[in-house]
Amino acid sequence: MRLRVEFTTEPFDLDEAPPHAVVAREVVHSAELDAVDVGPFGNTAEGRADVVLGAVDELLRKCLAAGATRVSLQVNVVAEEES
């Protein structure tokens, strides 16, 4: 199964990335995900279910520890690519 996670962390700071946003970026870039898109207002990552779920667990733990007051996320099952 493949999953796509979309997430945001708060509070926002448009002048400088807050520590929890930096941590989120590090988590998704270090995971063995197939696709990652990090932006100022939302982030997406896609990959195998076990990898995405592991990254979500690490993301939540580290972002909250780094000062996030809210983490919003949505997880969707995506179709497998045919070979």
Side-chain angles (χ1 to χ4, degrees):
M1 177 185 308
R2 292 182 53 76
L3 299 176
R4 177 182 301 121
V5 61
E6 301 174 41
F7 66 92
T8 58
T9 62
E10 297 178 37
F12 295 115
D13 184 342
L14 295 177
D15 294 327
E16 184 177 334
H20 57 81
V22 173
V23 166
R25 186 176 338 156
E26 291 170 354
V27 168
V28 294
H29 280 297
S30 68
E32 294 182 22
L33 297 160
D34 299 332
V36 173
D37 183 22
V38 176
F41 299 109
N43 311 284
T44 60
E46 188 175 313
R48 293 188 338 262
D50 59 331
V51 176
V52 171
L53 294 174
V56 167
D57 177 61
E58 184 178 359
L59 176 86
L60 291 172
R61 293 175 190 277
K62 288 187 173 182
C63 287
L64 294 171
T69 57
R70 178 180 180 136
V71 180
S72 301
L73 63 92
Q74 179 175 336
V75 179
N76 294 297
V77 175
V78 294
E80 293 279 346
E81 293 181 14
E82 294 187 30
S83 3

